[in-house]
Every structure is written in C-alpha cells, then in structure tokens.
Amino acid sequence: MGRAKALLAGLLMVAAAAPATAYAADTTIGFSVTEMHFDVLAGPGGVKHCDVVGDLYLPDGASAKRPVPAILTTNGFGGSKDDRAGIGKYFAANEYAVLAYSGLGFGGSGCKITMDDPDWDGQAASQLVSFLGGQEGIAYYDAAHAQPVPALTSIVQDKVDHNGKPSTHDPRVGMIGGSYGGGAQFAAAAVDPRIDTLIPIITWNDLSYSLAPNNTDLRTGVTYRTPGVTKLTWPVLLFGVGAGLSSVTGLSNDPSRVLGCPNFTNEICPDLLASGTLGYPTNDTISLLRHASVTSFVDRIKVPVLLMQGQNDTLFNLNESIATFQALKAQGNPVKLVWQSWGHSGGPAPGEIDPDNLDPATQYETARMVAWFNQYLKNGPVDTSPEFTYFRDWVSYNGIATPAYGSAPQYPVGTTSTLYLSGKNLVWSPADVGPGAQSFGTIPGGIPTSSSGIDVLSPNLPPDLNLPGTYASWSSAPLSSPVTVVGPPELTVQMQSPIPALGPAGKPVVIAKIYDVAPDHTASLIHNLVAPARIADPSQPVTITLPAIVHQFAAGHSIKVVLAGGDLNYRGGLTGALVTVATGDLGQTLTLPTLD
C-alpha cells in the first residue's frame, strides 16, 4: 500500500482487534439495511438541531420476543457511515443490530466538526443510543424529518446503567471505531452511562499532545505543562479534509457549515492560525483541544474498554494509548491493550484486519473484537486474552497474524536497560563513561534543520537528513545479541543553553529520535517517530519521553540517539540558541524498556 493510500486508510478505517478463539459468520442469517435520519439536539444546553444520517443493519428475525444486542459505530475523520459497511454486514450476520452513522460535519450529517467534543458528538451519539433503546421522535426515513420511524423494539434492554441506576430506553450496546470514530466513543460514554463497552482504535488521549506535543514536563500521561511544539503537516491535512471536502459535500443539506470557519466550530480557525504562527498552542487552544480529549473526562467512563493503537502512527502514537490505558486501569475499568502493526502512517500486516471483509478465523484483530463484544454484549465466554499484546514485525508467519503477537499479563512489560551518554558514544557500563561535549544550533524562526520524511505523505521524501551543526548524536557499539524494546524510551540530558526569554517562544526546542544503524552504517528512524520537546528550564536536567516502539535491534546493529534543533514536520523554536551537552557524569542516559 502506498503512503498516501495508507494515510487515507488510517484516517477512514474503523478497525478491530483479536483472541485465539475464532467465530465464523453464520451466513444463513440475513439482514436488512435501512437508511435513516436522526433529529438530535447537541451543543451546550442541547439547543442546536443537527441532522445525523445513519444505516441500521438489522438481523432477520430480530424482534421484541427475540431481541439482539446493538453496536454503534461512526466514521474516521473525512469519512462517512458507508465506511462502516464491513462492520455492519459482519455483525448483522451474527445477530447484532448495527447502527452506522456519519459524525457531525461528515458524510451527509449536519452541524460542524467539533473534534468529538462531548457536548456535541457525545450528546448526538447519546440520542442514537436512545433510539436503539426504543425511544420515538428521533429517527425518520427522510432528511425533512416528516416520516417517523416506528419505535425500535428488537434490541436487548438493560435494567440499570453503568452508574447502577434504572434508565429508560437502555439498550445493550457497544461502540467501535477508529481514529475520529474512536474519540467519538469516549465522548459518548462520558455523557451516557447506558453504553456498555468500547473498542477505540488508533485514537487520541490528549489532542493538545497529538497536534502540538511536548515530550517533557509531563503532568500526567501525555498531558504537559509547558506548551508543546506545533505539528505542521497533519493539521494542514486535517483542516483541508474537514473544511474542503466535507463542507462542499454537506453544503446542500446544511449551508451553515461553510459560514465562519468552514465546517469547523468558529474557534478552530483562529486557533490553528495562531498555533502555526507562534509554533506553540495558546492557552485557549490547549483548553479547546483538551475539552475534546478523554484525558479530561476519563473519570466519567465506567465501562470495559478494548484499546487498540498503532505502532506505525505519527498522528496518534502509542504513548496516547498508554495514558488512556493506565488511567482506565487505575480507576478499575476492565481494560486490555493491543498494539497492532498499523496506524495512520501505514496499513495492516497480513492476517491482522480487513475492515471491509471481517473474518475472525483468519484475522487476529477481528477475532479479538468479536470475543470482546460476545463477552460484554451477549454474556458469552470470558475473553481470556492477555492484558497486553503487541505486534513483532521481525517474526515470520503465514495466515493469521497470531504468531507475530507477543503478550504479557500486564503492561508495562520487561525490564529497564540503561545506556550512558559518553562523548559521542552510548555505553552500557558506568565505568566506561568519559568526558566529552557536543554543541549544536537551533535556527531562528523555527526553520527545520532535519527531515524524517513528510508525515502525511512519505517516510522517505525528502530523505532522512540532519544538517551538520544542528544536532548531537550518541551511538552504541555493535550489539553482541539482539535487544528487544517494547515501550517508550527516555532520554535524560543536561543541556547548556542561554536562559530563555519569558514565554514559550523564548524556550529552546529540540527533537529527540532513535535510529537502528545496520552494519553497513545505514540508519533507519524507527517508524519515523520523533519526540519534540520545549525546554522550560535548560539549566536543569531534562527527561524526554520518546514515542513507544516495538522493535528488535539485531545483533551487529547499533543504537543511535539524536538530539536535533528542528524537524520538517514541526514549527520549531522561534528563537535561535546554541545548545551544548557535556558528558562525564552518570546522570545522562538513554533508558530502554527491554525484554529479557
């Protein structure tokens, strides 16, 4: 799959996840598909009418006497309900009702894009839950809302919600979706305790980290104190898709979408412009993005969650899934974590998932998804899959991808291995640490000084490059045996730099990244992942948490860590600075979460 196709697949895909037990579709069960329009009230105070278009997949024979559980699913960014057809067809053939709908601002649905804000997308989804629970006055056969759909009576009803309270129109319902369709699940579950389980895939924990990350000075999870470093390529693409294609296709059914900020709520346009100009998000932008992020309302989510995240993803990296997983687990939610091979930056490996043709007998992730829903929506067998599974791209297999997945009874896994910075080297023993210093400059104006490819287009265009004099690097000797890393590396350094001016713009920005260097000296940046950091106080040691990886450094290869002054995919620091890293003490390290 080409980079552009992979990127679009990541944006639009609603994937799933995988156990050893396979559940084949009973092809003798037929189903109907009916397009409907839903009149929902959304926004603060619930006063804005929005027309939501959806398809109801209903198994033949489902009735009040033979009710079935339900699945609610919505599209990734730029997609529509039609992208959910694979989910609808498979589960309807296996005695689930499926309501696939286009999110607000997409695919024929009205109102504007709110980045899955609970007040908007959460409230809209909640009213679809009410329809599944039998409430009238929500669903219509036409966009004019003149032909009402009769009350739905064929869905299993629960006696109490997940707050332990009796609730009217309470269907047995789970949600599944990828990317933007993953964020919608958290928004919905935060406002509606009737939802019974979630399967969010390749989605975010904190949008302020996703779009303007700071990988140091972290308050909790990926949520930072010092404003981060603005991404360039991903926000431009997302805005272009949202404001361009979606507003044009939705003009006929909701002309108001193109007024003000095209197809986005009016705050988005000035915030996007300010972040791109300044190189960091303003406090208003951070507040807006976090209001639409599970990090801000995770305590309101009480249901079991199967969380799936992509190892090949420069938009929502694995650290976001760690933050969500650990927050859910800490508050007692049943939760499992799957790190799959693919994400927004690349497609699935063979035998993981085909969202258009789901088959749990041949697809590891599909099997996981089916087992999860069977347990929590059908009271079926308990899913005995491990708490944590991860894809190993160095393991050969044929057919279903199960052999390529490592597992552990809990996350994190393994132990911590430490390498020490010594001159230009990484050494394993404290006794080998010696003095040395490297200096590099960051260029004023946020001009990039290194390339890791263009995130949304290609990992190789332009080729990987670090301009001389704009980075420091440390490399290990060739490894005598393989080193397997599963989790986020951490780089701790003491930088010497001029005391920054007041405000985020005056604070130095550096980019940390890890390479696998082959015996022929070819260096590969692992999944093109980098860690921008805006340094609040360069007079103090700084720990930079890099994006998590699942990677095996082969025997004979070397590990290389680079600290650069800029990157093509980010708006770097606006103030130039000379940065020096002097080694000789034991406090400057690269720590790796490794397997024995």
Side-chain angles (χ1 to χ4, degrees):
M1 180 182 290
R3 180 73 167 189
K5 289 183 178 179
L7 134 72
L8 290 175
L11 285 172
L12 303 179
M13 188 174 288
V14 177
T21 305
Y23 299 83
D26 184 348
T27 55
T28 63
I29 299 175
F31 56 89
S32 61
V33 184
T34 306
E35 183 174 281
M36 299 177 180
H37 289 261
F38 301 88
D39 182 16
V40 303
L41 290 168
V47 298
K48 174 68 173 178
H49 284 267
C50 302
D51 178 63
V52 171
V53 62
D55 291 329
L56 178 65
Y57 297 74
L58 195 63
D60 294 346
S63 65
K65 292 184 178 180
R66 193 169 178 269
V68 295
I71 294 171
L72 188 62
T73 182
T74 189
N75 52 276
F77 199 91
S80 74
K81 64 181 178 60
D82 298 338
D83 307 325
R84 320 312 303 133
I87 294 284
K89 292 175 182 178
Y90 174 83
F91 280 99
N94 282 270
E95 297 190 285
Y96 287 86
V98 179
L99 179 54
Y101 70 98
S102 297
L104 299 182
F106 295 109
S109 288
C111 291
K112 290 190 172 188
I113 299 168
T114 69
M115 306 308 293
D116 281 336
D117 190 302
D119 292 342
W120 291 87
D121 291 272
Q123 291 292 348
S126 178
Q127 287 157 81
L128 302 185
V129 171
S130 294
F131 162 73
L132 291 170
Q135 184 170 332
E136 295 182 289
I138 298 173
Y140 300 85
Y141 291 114
D142 63 319
H145 302 160
Q147 303 173 43
V149 174
L152 193 62
T153 60
S154 53
I155 307 300
V156 175
Q157 300 289 301
D158 288 329
K159 293 182 179 180
V160 296
D161 63 24
H162 284 269
N163 286 333
K165 298 178 181 179
S167 181
T168 57
H169 310 300
D170 186 354
R172 181 75 54 80
V173 60
M175 294 189 72
I176 183 171
S179 192
Y180 198 76
Q185 296 175 59
F186 289 127
V191 301
D192 196 333
R194 296 174 298 173
I195 296 169
D196 295 292
T197 189
L198 310 176
I199 304 181
I201 306 153
I202 58 171
T203 196
W204 65 88
N205 171 266
D206 183 343
L207 267 178
S208 69
Y209 173 84
S210 310
L211 301 179
N214 193 9
N215 288 277
T216 190
D217 197 23
L218 298 173
R219 187 177 71 209
T220 181
V222 295
T223 298
Y224 49 69
R225 298 181 184 86
T226 301
V229 184
T230 302
K231 283 183 180 177
L232 295 177
T233 52
W234 276 115
V236 167
L237 174 75
L238 295 173
F239 184 78
V241 169
L245 175 64
S246 297
S247 61
V248 170
T249 57
L251 180 62
S252 59
N253 67 350
D254 188 357
S256 68
R257 283 166 55 171
V258 300
L259 300 177
C261 184
N263 209 31
F264 288 89
T265 53
N266 289 337
E267 302 91 342
I268 295 290
C269 284
D271 284 349
L272 183 66
L273 179 62
S275 294
T277 302
L278 297 171
Y280 61 89
T282 65
N283 289 336
D284 287 344
T285 302
I286 291 173
S287 295
L288 179 73
L289 295 175
R290 288 181 181 168
H291 191 262
S293 299
V294 65
T295 187
S296 300
F297 48 76
V298 67
D299 59 326
R300 290 159 29 203
I301 297 171
K302 308 296 184 182
V303 299
V305 179
L306 177 61
L307 187 62
M308 311 182 78
Q309 202 78 353
Q311 297 172 25
N312 194 5
D313 201 322
T314 58
L315 179 57
F316 305 134
N317 66 39
L318 295 176
N319 293 12
E320 303 229 40
S321 69
I322 296 171
T324 303
F325 170 81
Q326 292 182 329
L328 289 168
K329 186 175 180 181
Q331 65 188 25
N333 293 57
V335 58
K336 292 185 179 181
L337 179 61
V338 177
W339 284 354
Q340 63 212 22
S341 75
W342 58 273
H344 290 88
S345 305
E352 284 193 292
I353 180 76
D354 180 350
D356 295 322
N357 298 284
L358 296 177
D359 182 2
T362 62
Q363 300 162 11
Y364 173 79
E365 293 185 84
T366 303
R368 291 291 301 271
M369 171 183 69
V370 171
W372 191 264
F373 276 157
N374 281 351
Q375 175 181 348
Y376 289 106
L377 298 181
K378 283 189 173 180
N379 299 319
V382 173
D383 177 9
T384 58
S385 303
E387 178 179 283
F388 177 48
T389 52
Y390 49 94
F391 185 84
R392 300 169 296 178
D393 61 8
W394 60 92
V395 175
S396 298
Y397 64 94
N398 293 309
I400 192 168
T402 305
Y405 274 82
S407 65
Q410 61 185 16
Y411 177 87
V413 62
T415 59
T416 298
S417 298
T418 301
L419 293 95
Y420 299 89
L421 276 60
S422 176
K424 293 185 177 182
N425 302 318
L426 290 173
V427 298
W428 294 96
S429 171
D432 294 331
V433 174
Q438 296 185 64
S439 297
F440 62 94
T442 65
I443 298 178
I447 298 173
T449 60
S450 64
S451 165
S452 52
I454 300 175
D455 279 345
V456 302
L457 294 178
S458 170
N460 302 312
L461 294 173
D464 185 86
L465 175 68
N466 295 287
L467 293 179
T470 66
Y471 71 96
S473 67
W474 298 265
S475 299
S476 74
L479 301 170
S480 59
S481 59
V483 172
T484 303
V485 178
V486 180
E490 289 189 344
L491 176 65
T492 300
V493 293
Q494 174 67 71
M495 292 182 283
Q496 300 171 19
S497 181
I499 301 299
L502 294 177
K507 301 183 188 304
V509 170
V510 294
I511 311 288
K513 43 192 176 179
I514 291 182
Y515 290 84
D516 183 327
V517 183
D520 65 359
H521 304 296
T522 301
S524 300
L525 180 61
I526 300 166
H527 292 310
N528 278 56
L529 296 167
V530 304
R534 188 178 299 275
I535 310 303
D537 184 358
S539 69
Q540 300 297 319
V542 173
T543 296
I544 301 172
T545 302
L546 284 83
I549 56 175
V550 178
H551 184 76
Q552 186 171 85
F553 295 88
H557 287 224
S558 299
I559 301 169
K560 179 180 180 180
V561 62
V562 170
L563 201 59
D567 184 88
L568 183 64
N569 293 293
Y570 294 86
R571 183 82 158 93
L574 302 186
T575 303
L578 180 65
V579 178
T580 299
V581 179
T583 63
D585 61 275
L586 302 183
Q588 303 193 79
T589 60
L590 175 67
T591 58
L592 302 174
T594 56
L595 301 182
D596 295 333

